[in-house]
Amino acid sequence: MDQQKIDIKNIPVHVEVHKPAGQGAQYNPRDRIYVRAVKGLHQAIRRYMGFVFMGLFMLLPWLRYDGHQAILLDITEQKFNIFSLTLWPQDFTILAWIFIIAAYALFFITAFYGRVWCGYLCPQSVWTFIFIWFEEKIQGTRNQRMKLDADPWSATKFVKKAATHFCWLAFSLLTSLIFVGYFTPVGPLFIEFFTLQAGFWALVSVLFFTLCTYGNAGWMREIMCTHICPYARFQSAMFDKDTFTVTYDETRGENRGPRSRKDKDYQEKGLGDCIDCNLCVQVCPTGIDIRNGLQYECINCGACIDACDDTMTKMGYPTGLISYTTEHSLNGKPTKVLRSKLLGYLFVLIAVCGAFAWTLYSRVPFEMNIIRDRGAMYRETNEGWVENTYTISISNKSQQAVMFNLSVDGGESLSWIGPQQVNLNGGETLNVPVSLALDPDITESRSLDIRFTVRQAENPDVKLEQSTTFFVGR
């Protein structure tokens, strides 16, 4: 057999690493972003929504309900009190439904209006804007903050920086105390923390979340959104050409260029409506240029929209150069709001909300478990009757004391030995020992199928049943 040789040629490979132009050895992969303050409709909405939900976050732990903290997620006692509802580890499905509802609500909103959760309600964004507000009040405007950082250290600079970080830490500590107050009684927590009497885990938790808040909102900021948060990475999978996102109208805005307000012939010079003022970049909390197109870093906060609309108004141009719009709308095509993807998310969201509501409605506020005597299957009494011993374990999952009635149904003449009515306080578990006796002469079976029933005395329709076996023996 003839063998053919394949010529092998060595191809030199040269890999060249390109660095950002003009940076050289001083290139910093993360330059600080100085966010410019902006006013407008979208920022007013964001602030008002932030005030409402921040107020709820701060006030909810202090609410009282029926003599106890209204919302207390007590991990040590393994129970979550939410007003009149108490959830136990056995109620994990309810918590699972809550997380599923939150996920599909986020998917639905994202498919409809983009990443607005990140821009308006995400705690990372809300706390970051609060920290930026402290910077503005203490260090001044964007240009003043940039000049302050560029100036050499002085007494004035030290005081402003120290005051800023003190306010950051103080607000972080307040945030941490409130957050930990959801998991331990909030009133005693504040008193014990400031009197240095807090327990080890409470102290560690407060300090840990204080440092996390201070680091995330004070230092990391947009890094959390662009590099750490997974939502930024998979959000594009929920976008389509009918999703409303913050978008720059390139057809109207290009070519960019400065001009005076009196220049009415700018279009004849080949210029678009964008005057290249860069305000849309200066107000962006993640430091992107929205004119470069849709980017995963954009959190849809609408700051660039308000800044651009303000500029367009001053120039006498129509607003909306940057706006919440769809790709189809920009291309002159109609936007389909009711589309299959959005309706699919909505259908699943309604379905899981219905399942959650049914789970709550059908939830029985107590549990029972029948445990047979492990020492003997049965025993004979002095009267010749057969006796089986059981333990009925009852857990009251409500917050109020409840009276329970106990009964058994076996289709035969069973004699009950033990209490048939017990009272349990809220959250209490009680093991009730009972015995059942039967005259063996009235049946020929070696065993009987019986069913224990535990029902609320005040509401007999609320009941639980569990089957077991009564051994007769021969």
Side-chain angles (χ1 to χ4, degrees):
M1 180 181 294
D2 294 337
Q3 295 181 351
Q4 295 181 350
K5 294 183 179 180
I6 300 176
D7 296 333
I8 300 176
K9 182 184 295 185
N10 291 325
I11 300 176
V13 178
H14 175 65
V15 179
E16 183 175 353
V17 179
H18 298 273
K19 293 184 178 181
Q23 298 291 339
Q26 300 299 319
Y27 170 65
N28 186 351
R30 192 249 178 183
D31 294 326
R32 181 177 178 184
I33 297 176
Y34 296 88
V35 181
R36 185 189 187 108
V38 60
K39 294 181 180 180
L41 173 63
H42 300 92
Q43 298 317 292
I45 295 174
R46 179 186 59 76
R47 291 190 184 98
Y48 290 142
M49 293 179 68
F51 286 148
V52 170
F53 285 94
M54 177 66 72
L56 290 175
F57 168 76
M58 293 290 183
L59 294 177
L60 281 178
W62 299 97
L63 295 180
R64 308 290 296 178
Y65 179 85
D66 198 18
H68 60 80
Q69 187 170 321
I71 298 180
L72 181 59
L73 313 179
D74 196 336
I75 297 178
T76 58
E77 296 292 333
Q78 297 185 354
K79 64 178 181 179
F80 291 178
N81 288 332
I82 306 175
F83 291 91
S84 61
L85 179 66
T86 299
L87 300 179
W88 300 85
Q90 301 89 330
D91 299 314
F92 176 78
T93 53
I94 294 179
L95 295 178
W97 283 126
I98 293 175
F99 288 126
I100 294 173
I101 290 172
Y104 276 99
L106 183 62
F107 298 161
F108 174 78
I109 292 297
T110 303
F112 178 62
Y113 229 76
R115 203 175 166 187
V116 290
W117 156 261
C118 296
Y120 289 80
L121 288 178
C122 176
Q124 175 66 23
S125 300
V126 173
W127 263 257
T128 295
F129 280 117
I130 291 175
F131 276 41
I132 293 175
W133 180 84
F134 281 119
E135 284 185 345
E136 293 173 349
K137 296 302 178 182
I138 298 173
Q139 301 180 24
T141 63
R142 176 179 183 270
N143 291 335
Q144 290 173 333
R145 299 199 303 274
M146 295 174 64
K147 182 178 182 303
L148 181 67
D149 284 348
D151 289 343
W153 280 98
S154 62
T156 301
K157 181 175 181 178
F158 175 80
V159 170
K160 288 185 177 181
K161 289 290 185 179
T164 300
H165 287 275
F166 173 80
C167 291
W168 285 1
L169 283 170
F171 194 78
S172 298
L173 177 60
L174 176 61
T175 299
S176 180
L177 286 168
I178 292 294
F179 180 74
V180 177
Y182 279 89
F183 301 91
T184 189
V186 65
L189 173 65
F190 270 76
I191 296 174
E192 293 172 359
F193 181 84
F194 288 107
T195 58
L196 304 180
Q197 297 178 354
F200 173 78
W201 288 113
L203 181 62
V204 169
S205 300
V206 170
L207 295 179
F208 173 76
F209 288 111
T210 297
L211 292 177
C212 287
T213 306
Y214 173 74
N216 290 344
W219 293 95
M220 299 187 71
R221 294 189 177 176
E222 77 283 352
I223 292 180
M224 293 293 297
C225 302
T226 59
H227 292 83
I228 299 177
C229 178
Y231 179 48
R233 301 295 179 177
F234 68 78
Q235 60 161 331
S236 58
M238 289 170 276
F239 285 8
D240 55 34
K241 295 183 179 181
D242 293 300
T243 299
F244 288 87
T245 58
V246 175
T247 308
Y248 167 69
D249 190 346
E250 184 177 354
T251 303
R252 174 187 161 188
E254 302 296 325
N255 293 312
R256 313 172 197 169
R259 79 293 304 263
S260 67
R261 298 184 185 179
K262 298 180 181 180
D263 189 357
K264 304 300 181 182
D265 301 326
Y266 64 93
Q267 293 179 341
E268 297 179 359
K269 301 176 183 179
L271 297 176
D273 283 358
C274 179
I275 66 173
D276 204 19
C277 62
N278 280 329
L279 289 179
C280 57
V281 180
Q282 296 177 18
V283 301
C284 179
T286 58
I288 66 171
D289 189 341
I290 194 62
R291 296 171 295 181
N292 293 334
L294 181 64
Q295 299 152 75
Y296 76 89
E297 296 93 342
C298 178
I299 61 174
N300 267 28
C301 65
C304 56
I305 298 178
D306 291 332
C308 186
D309 284 350
D310 183 59
T311 299
M312 293 294 102
T313 301
K314 291 179 180 178
M315 295 296 296
Y317 301 164
T319 59
L321 179 59
I322 303 176
S323 64
Y324 286 103
T325 188
T326 67
E327 184 177 343
H328 274 158
S329 179
L330 287 177
N331 295 330
K333 300 178 180 179
T335 297
K336 298 179 181 179
V337 177
L338 299 178
R339 54 197 185 275
S340 58
K341 176 186 289 187
L342 193 66
L343 292 176
Y345 285 136
L346 180 61
F347 174 78
V348 176
L349 180 60
I350 294 174
V352 293
C353 286
F356 172 70
W358 172 255
T359 302
L360 282 180
Y361 174 78
S362 60
R363 175 178 179 266
V364 178
F366 65 93
E367 285 189 347
M368 67 172 293
N369 189 27
I370 306 299
I371 305 172
R372 286 190 56 87
D373 183 8
R374 298 179 181 178
M377 295 178 62
Y378 66 92
R379 70 182 185 89
E380 293 186 5
T381 65
N382 296 330
E383 294 79 11
W385 285 39
V386 177
E387 185 176 286
N388 287 206
T389 302
Y390 307 85
T391 299
I392 305 177
S393 179
I394 308 173
S395 298
N396 181 8
K397 299 194 297 183
S398 68
Q399 300 173 9
Q400 295 80 28
V402 179
M403 184 74 70
F404 294 99
N405 293 328
L406 286 61
S407 61
V408 66
D409 180 14
E412 302 288 347
S413 300
L414 292 170
S415 176
W416 181 287
I417 305 173
Q420 287 193 271
Q421 190 174 70
V422 294
N423 185 65
L424 274 72
N425 295 322
E428 183 182 2
T429 298
L430 181 64
N431 293 326
V432 184
V434 299
S435 295
L436 299 179
L438 176 69
D439 184 356
D441 295 333
I442 66 174
T443 181
E444 297 180 356
S445 301
R446 296 176 60 89
S447 63
L448 299 175
D449 294 329
I450 62 175
R451 184 173 62 253
F452 283 95
T453 301
V454 177
R455 68 182 75 224
Q456 290 184 356
E458 295 183 356
N459 189 2
D461 292 334
V462 180
K463 64 181 181 178
L464 285 177
E465 298 177 336
Q466 184 171 336
S467 299
T468 185
T469 302
F470 182 93
F471 292 101
V472 181
R474 288 297 177 184

